[in-house]
Amino acid sequence: MIGKEGRLGFIYSDNELSRFYPGKQQKYMWHFWGSDPQKSQAKLGKEVKVIAVSKTTGKEMELMKTKVMQSGSYYVQSEIWDNEPAFRVPSMMSLPSPGLWRLDVYIDDKLFDSVVVRVHKKA
């Protein structure tokens, strides 16, 4: 997992199959932790948005936007676990160019936290 322990992150391994390459779209599962189950449950219905910012160019782009949903529906876009201080959100992400990118995560238009990733040059 890459991110900030106890705060947010997504399942990622820096190997040939899962690393970021320019234009390669892949599925990543985001995980968010709160201090208690009530704080996670309070995120139900809130919008989660990820904005990517290139360190090289300053270019910004929206990578993902979804709402936090209760688990149990046939098609779950995101999920809050009952009585757990966490929720998760699946995403399809692709970044257009090599280099470092900061992924700014917003919940209801408030910056929640950021993660920095490297987009590798194609081999």
Side-chain angles (χ1 to χ4, degrees), residues 51-118:
I51 304 293
V53 182
S54 168
K55 181 178 180 182
T56 305
T57 67
K59 176 183 177 177
E60 291 186 17
M61 60 181 286
E62 184 177 286
L63 285 186
M64 174 189 78
K65 186 180 346 182
T66 190
K67 288 200 181 255
V68 179
M69 314 268 294
Q70 184 70 41
S71 64
S73 64
Y74 177 74
Y75 179 74
V76 176
Q77 290 184 337
S78 61
E79 181 175 50
I80 291 180
W81 298 311
D82 290 335
N83 298 315
E84 292 287 331
F87 66 95
R88 61 184 182 172
V89 177
S91 68
M92 295 295 289
M93 296 191 296
S94 173
L95 292 161
S97 59
L100 293 177
W101 288 78
R102 186 182 72 236
L103 308 183
D104 293 332
V105 180
Y106 294 84
I107 298 179
D108 259 8
D109 292 324
K110 294 178 187 160
L111 182 63
F112 183 75
D113 218 322
S114 301
V115 176
V116 175
V117 298
R118 176 177 302 283

Side-chain angles (χ1 to χ4, degrees), residues 40-53:
S40 287
Q41 291 295 320
K43 302 293 190 236
L44 186 63
K46 305 284 187 192
E47 181 180 81
V48 175
K49 179 171 56 176
V50 178
I51 304 293
V53 182

